[in-house]
Amino acid sequence: MTLQEGRVVSRAVTRPAPPSRRGARLGVGKWVLPIYAAIAFVFLLIPIAYTFVFSFNDSVKSNIVWRGFTFDKWLNVCDQIDVCVAFGNSLIIGITATIAATILGTMIAIALVRYRFRFRSAISLLLFLPMATPEVVLGAGLAAEFLGAGVQKGLGTIIIAHTMFCVSFVVVTVKARVSTLDPALEEAGRDLYGSPNQVFWRVTFPLLLPGIIAAALLSFALSFDDFIITNFNAGTTSTFPKYIYISAARGIPAEANVIASAVFFLAIILVLAAQISSAVKRKRLAKVG
Amino acid sequence: MASGAFAESGADLELVGIQKRFPGFTAIEHLDLTIPAGSFFALLGPSGCGKTTTLRLVAGLEDPTEGKILIGGKDVTNLKPYQRQVNTVFQSYALFPHMTVLENVAFGLRRRRIDDAVGKAHEALRLVELDHLSARKPQQLSGGQQQRVALARAIVNRPALLLLDEPLGALDLKLRRQMQLELKSIQEEVGLTFVHVTHDQEEAMTMADTVAVMNKGEIEQLGAPEELYELPRTAFVANFLGQSNLFTGHVSGSTSSSISVDVEGTKITVPTKRAQRHKGEVTVGVRPEKLHLHKDAPKKSPDINTLGPGRIIDVSFSGVSTQYMIAIPGIGTVSVFQQNMTFGPLAGEGAEVWVSWNVDHGFGLEDEPSPTPRFPADTDTATIAVQKKRALMSELEEA
Amino acid sequence: MAFSAFATGTAQEQAPRRKSKIALLLLLPGILYLMLFFLVPLVSLVITSFQAPVPYGDIGEFQTAFKWQNYVDVVNTYGEHILRSFGYAILATIFALLFSYPLAYFIGVKARRWPLLQNLMLVLVIAPFFISFLLRTLAWKSILSDESFVISGLKALSLMAPDAHFTGTAAAVVFGLTYNFIPFMTLPLYSNLQQLDTRLLEAGSDLYSTPSKTFFKVTVPLSMTGIVSGVLLTFIPAAGDYINASRDFLGGTGTAMIGNVIESNFLVTLNYPVAAALSIILMAVILVMVTVYVKRSGTEDLL
Ligand SMILES: Nc1ncnc2c1ncn2[C@@H]1O[C@H](COP(=O)(O)OP(=O)(O)O)[C@@H](O)[C@H]1O
Ligand SMILES: [Mg+2]
């Protein structure tokens, strides 16, 4: 609403502006930013395009020189069994860590917004620090702890590590949602004969769900792409990023590009679908209102 | 759980010695209030005086620091909100955005496992003439429609007591007038006890059977609208409910039926039964529309109070009437409303005039006129903030 | 979004006082988890950093000691790497800010009239997140390798010396860091600029300020919280990164950063005390820099 007003005001104000400045704005100056943005996007997308194109390379071992087009790698991804195993591990880790971090983080977020308690600032600091700590330090610290405790590194230690660094991000994301929630809605629930339990599951939880889903997606993305912390706590277990790191020296098979591209397009489609559905919803609301 | 039955009819509400303290701030000092069953009761007061807090106490959304709440004679002070036969129409409506209109209205019935929740919800929606929109989400409704859904969602439960917290505050003037009439007729139709909170004096007076004027967490005066208007008991009520001309002076004489007050040499007479205090320093007043304006000194009469001469310092035309501000030496500025029976003002700015009114129209207040103002200015916000913080910290220490 | 991580509002004010038993129940699991797997590791890093080798022990065998000397040794041996890390990270942060600000301004302010386009551009900004960090870095390595048409083209145009390389140089590492952390910079800037009240800019020009003066006196100060969040979100991971500087990626023999040293000491030579001491130094320097930076930019309430 304020934006709308702002725009109306701006139109009213700019109209009588001196012609010289207006001329400048309508001239070259007007196109500088759009052109810059277009170039910036091309720059951002170059490596993605490269990775995608080289997923069709008819490469033998390393995938650096272009040797002709083929669909082979897309159709037989798991010919390179190590890539598939690593990818599978990454999925298992991502899903498990996401579920754990989302549950822990959501509980903390609700407590932070809805309750008052002692040590509040200490707890906020404890939640903030993991985000402000470089990944090498997180990774090395956990590894030192596992070493000291004599824990065998593997899938389990990776999941523990990923859950740890995802919790803070979940808290931040869900907290933003909780604090925009009108407390009157829950009060209305209580007023309308809902017991505390019913109010939580029928009012609070459905309203928090978009925030919780966003937090879960973010956690999964962070976990799936993490390499640094994983590297310190993986032992001999392979994950998709770790596989790429290890193969980097001797050449990455095109199958890795296939998996990365597939994940990329899946994610983009999900995001676009969400955007379009919310745009459609907005339009429908606008029409009625 | 609340019993699965509807309230038979409205119940009366009794607040006994209620006090409500927030950390570092006392919102309600001492509140006694009885609201009879089946009435349309308005709680009127300026913003921040504790109206919402009072409603939240009744609904069970806050616990009183002290005192008791009785609904239909039953002590509910320690009951949870969902155990009380009370429903609220929230200031912001608080409609559940993830449910349809129908689901919103049926929510309370379903929680209480009442048969045919959907049918009853449709019935309530028909009452507010919104049944055709029952499948929509609240966001797809206009402000007035949302307000009516909130009303339907509350009355469908047939609560003993319906609390409305400035339910019309977010609507524009025209819609507000229309909704005022609708609310009133719905109340008459369903026969529930309505407690309607508002800061709009006109709204309170047109809708309610009984109005309680609240100020700084206390009830200043309670009564029928006309009674409050014609016979305000305190300066606050006299000025919050319409306008008043107030004069302070010593009681200089009294007869069996009236008292006379000496205001800087001018005698003002007030009927004894319309005055709350009968000796010493008192404040008396009269409504501006009860005053007459004269270009010549009016004849003295024991039934008429006369002030003047004074000078008109402002004339403002407002359609139905014209307001004259008259500066009278020694007395101050007096405001007069004159109906516009003729074209043009009776007298222009700067003209010398007298005012008079029938003695029966005056009233005497119960306030103690004192050199310090009765309502001292609020402490500045910085101090309040510091106090609040200290109290909070000490409370956290205890916890 | 997590990118507002550094701009957490205080909900403390409204937080009503309710049964703290429930609060405890909600907090306990997560907080215990973080204590066990974040705080304890930090402590064990500190302990490890003071350890001394077991006399006549195997490689990787250390015992608890109080060997301050570790820190002195580390700074003497790896001082160069430490400085290099922060130098690269600062450069990458500056470049990312210069790259991102106009982009974020365009998306957040100029494109307001077209919400669909705005959303699409946001998707493009975060698109690199969706493809493996390592793969996109490797893609740049290939695109900018000596045989690539980009570099051979530059050489043909005599814009680069015929025997010069790009990959393996400090410039390549800074380039890689910049590229990889651009989204971290753009998103917080965008979410801040998107709330910018353009009427304030009108007010600026109404008060006889030139467009560039308005930009530096009104727009930039108003977007300070966004800049601070973006800078922190870029600088912290960039300072600790070791992928871009690794020899298999964009780095060379002379570009190793502190992360590379920590990794090789911890995972290859099993020299745990050195890795731990370096980690503690990295963390301490970052915390000090972040605190000073946040204090100086006048956005203390961010933390
Ligand atoms: N939760 C609370 N904590 C502290 N003070 C409060 C709280 N709720 C209300 N108050 C204070 O109590 C006073 C009365 O508030 P309220 O009942 O909302 O007023 P009204 O509805 O009449 O405008 C206000 O001064 C308000 O600041
Ligand atoms: Mg209120």
Side-chain angles (χ1 to χ4, degrees):
Chain A
M1 265 135 277
T2 41
L3 294 188
Q4 223 71 33
E5 278 163 30
R7 232 168 278 142
V8 173
V9 171
S10 81
R11 233 174 269 149
V13 173
T14 40
R15 208 162 282 158
S20 64
R21 240 202 12 240
R22 215 167 131 213
R25 221 178 260 179
L26 288 176
V28 191
K30 198 182 163 189
W31 292 102
V32 169
L33 269 184
I35 290 173
Y36 173 79
I39 295 172
F41 286 128
V42 171
F43 173 70
L44 285 176
L45 298 182
I46 284 174
I48 299 172
Y50 178 93
T51 306
F52 181 56
V53 169
F54 273 73
S55 70
F56 297 104
N57 188 11
D58 196 4
S59 61
V60 183
K61 210 163 172 205
S62 83
N63 187 11
I64 294 172
V65 186
W66 183 255
R67 304 171 71 108
F69 183 91
T70 176
F71 273 120
D72 240 28
K73 316 286 174 179
W74 279 83
L75 297 174
N76 307 306
V77 194
C78 282
D79 277 2
Q80 203 72 37
I81 190 71
D82 293 351
V83 185
C84 273
V85 168
F87 177 69
N89 283 344
S90 278
L91 283 185
I92 294 171
I93 295 163
I95 290 169
T96 320
T98 295
I99 292 173
T102 306
I103 292 173
L104 294 175
T106 302
M107 283 162 59
I108 295 179
I110 293 175
L112 279 180
V113 178
R114 285 303 161 83
Y115 297 92
R116 268 175 27 203
F117 39 81
R118 273 192 294 177
F119 308 122
R120 200 191 173 85
S121 42
I123 287 173
S124 300
L125 189 68
L126 181 64
L127 289 165
F128 168 78
L129 272 181
M131 296 189 288
T133 307
E135 287 189 47
V136 238
V137 180
L138 294 178
L142 259 180
E145 183 183 54
F146 290 141
L147 190 75
V151 175
Q152 186 70 38
K153 288 193 221 169
L155 216 54
T157 52
I158 304 177
I159 291 172
I160 287 176
H162 286 203
T163 305
M164 181 268 292
F165 72 78
C166 288
V167 166
S168 298
F169 287 95
V170 173
V171 172
V172 171
T173 314
V174 177
K175 205 174 128 194
R177 181 84 194 175
V178 180
S179 55
T180 58
L181 192 71
D182 182 1
L185 290 172
E186 285 168 305
E187 286 176 351
R190 291 197 279 153
D191 187 63
L192 293 165
Y193 313 103
S195 66
N197 227 337
Q198 290 172 328
V199 170
F200 181 80
W201 288 110
R202 290 180 189 275
V203 180
T204 316
F205 186 74
L207 291 172
L208 290 186
L209 201 57
I212 294 173
I213 290 174
L217 291 177
L218 179 69
S219 290
F220 184 81
L222 287 171
S223 161
F224 187 80
D225 201 27
D226 178 78
F227 168 69
I228 296 180
I229 297 177
T230 311
N231 193 28
F232 277 94
N233 295 291
T236 53
T237 308
S238 175
T239 68
F240 188 60
K242 198 181 163 201
Y243 174 82
I244 294 168
Y245 185 76
I246 290 170
S247 331
R250 52 184 164 82
I252 314 245
E255 282 81 356
N257 294 39
V258 171
I259 289 180
S261 306
V263 169
F264 174 80
F265 285 111
L266 194 70
I268 288 282
I269 286 168
L270 277 178
V271 170
L272 285 180
Q275 298 249 343
I276 288 167
S277 91
S278 81
V280 167
K281 219 182 261 171
R282 259 204 308 277
K283 246 193 207 133
R284 240 190 14 226
L285 290 186
K287 217 183 283 166
V288 176
Chain B
M1 269 274 45
S3 69
F6 284 144
E8 286 303 311
S9 62
D12 49 351
L13 167 71
E14 228 179 310
L15 301 181
V16 186
I18 291 289
Q19 187 194 49
K20 177 64 190 175
R21 261 201 303 251
F22 292 112
F25 186 83
T26 305
I28 295 173
E29 189 58 59
H30 185 93
L31 190 66
D32 286 309
L33 186 61
T34 304
I35 297 175
S39 70
F40 197 120
F41 187 92
L43 199 55
L44 174 68
S47 186
C49 72
K51 306 181 298 288
T52 299
T53 307
T54 308
L55 284 200
R56 292 172 61 82
L57 287 168
V58 175
L61 298 170
E62 303 275 4
D63 296 323
T65 315
E66 257 171 52
K68 272 197 312 199
I69 299 167
L70 296 101
I71 295 173
K74 212 174 99 220
D75 188 345
V76 298
T77 317
N78 294 319
L79 292 188
K80 296 264 181 290
Y82 58 89
Q83 297 164 324
R84 298 189 189 190
Q85 291 257 342
V86 173
N87 286 108
T88 307
V89 176
F90 288 81
Q91 201 163 358
S92 56
Y93 312 145
L95 298 177
F96 304 125
H98 58 297
M99 298 180 194
T100 63
V101 165
L102 187 70
E103 287 167 335
N104 262 285
V105 176
F107 188 91
L109 299 174
R110 287 190 173 143
R111 298 289 79 72
R112 289 201 292 166
R113 300 181 198 291
I114 284 174
D115 293 337
D116 191 23
V118 171
K120 290 194 168 81
H122 277 298
E123 203 176 302
L125 282 170
R126 270 196 292 278
L127 183 68
V128 296
E129 293 169 10
L130 279 180
D131 201 28
H132 58 294
L133 301 180
S134 62
R136 289 216 186 153
K137 290 282 177 72
Q139 309 90 289
Q140 294 170 298
L141 301 180
S142 71
Q145 290 169 335
Q146 290 185 12
Q147 203 282 323
R148 285 188 287 179
V149 174
L151 183 65
R153 187 176 73 171
I155 53 178
V156 75
N157 301 295
R158 301 281 151 161
L161 207 58
L162 185 70
L163 310 176
L164 303 107
D165 190 359
E166 309 209 14
L168 310 178
L171 307 181
D172 61 48
L173 192 66
K174 198 162 154 242
L175 200 54
R176 200 152 77 212
R177 294 275 171 267
Q178 184 194 334
M179 285 302 302
Q180 283 172 4
L181 297 177
E182 277 186 36
L183 260 182
K184 180 81 189 158
S185 72
I186 287 173
Q187 192 261 338
E188 275 159 11
E189 200 172 327
V190 298
L192 303 175
T193 312
F194 275 37
V195 182
H196 181 110
V197 156
T198 175
H199 63 257
D200 178 347
Q201 43 129 339
E202 216 175 309
E203 186 173 301
M205 291 205 282
T206 48
M207 296 173 78
D209 313 325
T210 313
V211 176
V213 180
M214 197 169 178
N215 183 37
K216 305 246 158 178
E218 283 177 59
I219 301 288
E220 291 260 341
Q221 191 175 349
L222 184 152
E226 313 82 57
E227 185 188 324
L228 287 187
Y229 187 80
E230 296 301 345
L231 195 56
R233 277 215 307 261
T234 66
F236 179 81
V237 176
N239 280 318
F240 191 73
L241 228 57
Q243 297 177 19
S244 296
N245 294 304
L246 298 181
F247 316 99
T248 300
H250 249 313
V251 176
S252 57
S254 59
T255 67
S256 58
S257 62
S258 68
I259 57 167
S260 303
V261 181
D262 176 47
V263 183
E264 301 285 326
T266 309
K267 197 178 84 174
I268 295 177
T269 307
V270 180
T272 312
K273 58 178 195 302
R274 287 176 62 85
Q276 309 299 325
R277 283 146 48 86
H278 302 141
K279 24 180 209 298
E281 189 96 337
V282 299
T283 300
V284 296
V286 63
R287 296 286 186 185
E289 73 276 8
K290 302 285 193 314
L291 297 185
H292 296 285
L293 205 59
H294 308 273
K295 289 183 181 163
D296 309 302
K299 267 209 306 272
K300 297 261 182 226
S301 146
D303 295 338
I304 306 282
N305 287 316
T306 309
L307 297 176
R311 229 162 255 294
I312 297 181
I313 54 171
D314 189 53
V315 178
S316 46
F317 175 77
S318 67
V320 184
S321 62
T322 303
Q323 183 182 21
Y324 300 87
M325 300 299 290
I326 298 148
I328 300 175
I331 294 206
T333 308
V334 172
S335 159
V336 180
F337 281 124
Q338 291 275 277
Q339 275 215 321
N340 290 326
M341 312 279 270
T342 55
F343 293 116
L346 287 169
E349 245 171 73
E352 191 180 61
V353 291
W354 285 258
V355 295
S356 71
W357 70 92
N358 191 319
V359 165
D360 288 339
H361 289 151
F363 50 81
L365 302 179
E366 68 177 18
D367 301 274
E368 189 91 41
S370 56
T372 51
R374 196 176 114 83
F375 308 110
D378 283 319
T379 330
D380 66 302
T381 41
T383 325
I384 292 177
V386 170
Q387 280 174 357
K388 254 190 176 169
K389 189 173 169 194
R390 288 229 182 88
L392 240 166
M393 299 227 293
S394 65
E395 215 167 291
L396 285 178
E397 291 296 301
E398 289 163 28
Chain C
M1 268 253 95
F3 303 98
S4 55
F6 294 88
T8 47
T10 48
Q12 202 161 353
E13 292 291 315
Q14 317 108 287
R17 181 185 168 74
R18 264 186 262 154
K19 281 186 218 94
S20 43
K21 222 184 273 168
I22 301 176
L24 192 70
L25 226 61
L26 287 171
L27 284 170
L28 211 57
I31 296 302
L32 277 184
Y33 193 94
L34 282 184
M35 292 225 208
L36 197 56
F37 298 115
F38 173 71
L39 274 192
V40 176
L42 282 189
V43 174
S44 59
L45 262 191
V46 174
I47 295 172
T48 310
S49 71
F50 289 114
Q51 281 179 344
V54 176
Y56 312 110
D58 256 349
I59 295 176
E61 273 193 72
F62 294 90
Q63 61 189 17
T64 310
F66 196 68
K67 203 174 155 207
W68 269 107
Q69 191 60 30
N70 283 345
Y71 279 85
V72 180
D73 292 347
V74 159
V75 171
N76 284 336
T77 321
Y78 298 112
E80 186 194 351
H81 298 82
I82 298 173
L83 287 181
R84 190 184 291 139
S85 292
F86 291 112
Y88 287 179
I90 289 171
L91 282 177
T93 307
I94 293 171
F95 290 138
L97 179 61
L98 293 179
F99 178 94
S100 298
Y101 203 98
L103 188 62
Y105 189 83
F106 180 72
I107 305 175
V109 179
K110 292 287 168 191
R112 271 181 204 172
R113 248 168 294 170
W114 308 283
L116 215 61
L117 177 74
Q118 209 179 15
N119 285 331
L120 191 73
M121 289 193 292
L122 272 183
V123 174
L124 289 181
V125 169
I126 54 171
F129 277 155
F130 297 146
I131 204 140
S132 162
F133 181 95
L134 299 164
L135 273 182
R136 64 182 123 106
T137 312
L138 282 175
W140 277 122
K141 185 186 179 182
S142 297
I143 295 166
L144 299 172
S145 69
D146 292 344
E147 305 85 51
S148 71
F149 75 92
V150 179
I151 298 297
S152 33
L154 285 175
K155 285 179 180 168
L157 292 170
S158 306
L159 288 172
M160 244 174 109
D163 56 345
H165 310 280
F166 182 70
T167 51
T169 64
V173 177
V174 173
F175 173 87
L177 290 172
T178 307
Y179 174 81
N180 278 316
F181 295 113
I182 280 172
F184 289 103
M185 182 64 92
T186 310
L187 286 180
L189 281 177
Y190 159 79
S191 62
N192 182 285
L193 285 169
Q194 176 232 7
Q195 300 161 5
L196 181 76
D197 187 347
T198 45
R199 280 174 297 179
L200 294 174
L201 307 186
E202 305 293 344
S205 64
D206 185 53
L207 296 168
Y208 313 107
S209 162
T210 62
S212 72
K213 266 235 178 85
T214 308
F215 178 77
F216 286 108
K217 297 269 172 204
V218 182
T219 312
V220 171
L222 282 176
S223 56
M224 208 57 203
T225 48
I227 295 177
V228 173
S229 307
V231 164
L232 295 181
L233 285 172
T234 307
F235 177 77
I236 295 170
D241 184 73
Y242 63 80
I243 312 244
N244 290 282
S246 149
R247 249 182 294 171
D248 292 331
F249 290 76
L250 292 168
T253 41
T255 60
M257 291 169 67
I258 193 166
N260 302 79
V261 182
I262 296 175
E263 190 217 11
S264 64
N265 273 296
F266 205 111
L267 296 176
V268 184
T269 58
L270 308 187
N271 202 349
Y272 304 120
V274 169
L278 278 170
S279 301
I280 297 294
I281 292 173
L282 175 65
M283 171 120 188
V285 174
I286 282 185
L287 283 185
V288 169
M289 285 175 89
V290 165
T291 314
V292 170
Y293 172 69
V294 169
K295 280 241 157 76
R296 291 203 49 169
S297 52
T299 41
E300 285 148 66
D301 47 334
L302 281 180
L303 302 178

